[in-house]
Amino acid sequence: MSVNKVILVGRLGRDPETRYTSGGQAVANFSVATDESYKDRNGERQKRTEWHKIVVWGKQAEIAQQYLKKGSLVFIEGRIQSREWQDKEGQKRTSFEIVANNFRMLGGRSDAAAAGAAAGGMGGGASRGAEDMDAGAHAEDLGGASGGGAGPEISDEDIPF
């Protein structure tokens, strides 16, 4: 038995870029940064940022394009996939990406508004229902999702890692 599962919580480094296959299926690409803090040999606190390439397909790609913005805090679940290609010099290269099968926006209205302002869009932020929306939800559910009952807000301090 083998398992290929990735869970990330981080911030978008850029707005999603969505394209469509010749068959009409949406595919969105964006990057997510995760931070790690540790103490070096001298006992000084160091911070390292890891960047992850994220790929989302289908309806979820369209939802990502609509609601995710640079700076947004997001939970991503998916799998690692490698891709081989040739560079300009003809050298064989390998890159790795996370193919997301589920994502959830984290943070409150202020987080979404700040992310939108930093990206130059979404002035007032998305509705509360859209912020905490599971990417697997149907688009028609978005209309009635604004308002109460969306659950508690999660801050960076609430995340156990």
Side-chain angles (χ1 to χ4, degrees):
M1 181 173 117
S2 63
V3 176
N4 182 356
K5 181 165 184 128
V6 175
I7 295 175
L8 298 172
V9 175
R11 295 201 180 270
L12 266 70
R14 61 183 167 96
D15 289 353
E17 180 181 310
T18 304
R19 296 186 176 145
Y20 290 85
T21 65
S22 57
Q25 186 172 20
V27 58
N29 295 286
F30 54 93
S31 59
V32 169
T34 55
D35 293 326
E36 174 185 17
S37 293
Y38 63 95
K39 288 187 179 179
D40 64 13
R41 292 180 185 173
N42 300 325
E44 296 179 29
R45 178 146 318 280
Q46 300 291 325
K47 183 177 174 184
R48 188 178 90 182
T49 301
E50 190 73 38
W51 287 95
H52 311 274
K53 295 178 187 177
I54 311 295
V55 179
V56 185
W57 288 87
K59 189 69 173 171
Q60 292 181 353
E62 294 171 357
I63 292 169
Q65 178 67 43
Q66 187 174 1
Y67 292 103
L68 296 181
K69 300 293 175 201
K70 179 179 178 178
S72 296
L73 184 63
V74 65
F75 165 89
I76 295 177
E77 200 171 18
R79 62 185 167 82
I80 296 176
Q81 179 174 292
S82 61
R83 198 162 17 120
E84 291 184 352
W85 50 282
Q86 285 190 353
D87 65 13
K88 293 176 183 175
E89 290 81 38
Q91 297 293 318
K92 188 176 179 181
R93 309 286 264 183
T94 303
S95 61
F96 296 89
E97 56 198 17
I98 308 302
V99 179
N101 54 29
N102 185 27
F103 68 86
R104 181 176 291 262
M105 294 183 69
L106 303 175
R109 285 182 186 268
S110 60
D111 186 53
M122 254 176 63
S127 71
R128 176 73 188 162
E131 290 168 16
D132 287 337
M133 177 192 71
D134 189 334
H138 298 289
E140 54 267 16
D141 293 341
L142 295 176
S146 62
E153 287 191 26
I154 298 173
S155 70
D156 289 342
E157 290 80 31
D158 295 328
I159 300 171
F161 40 82

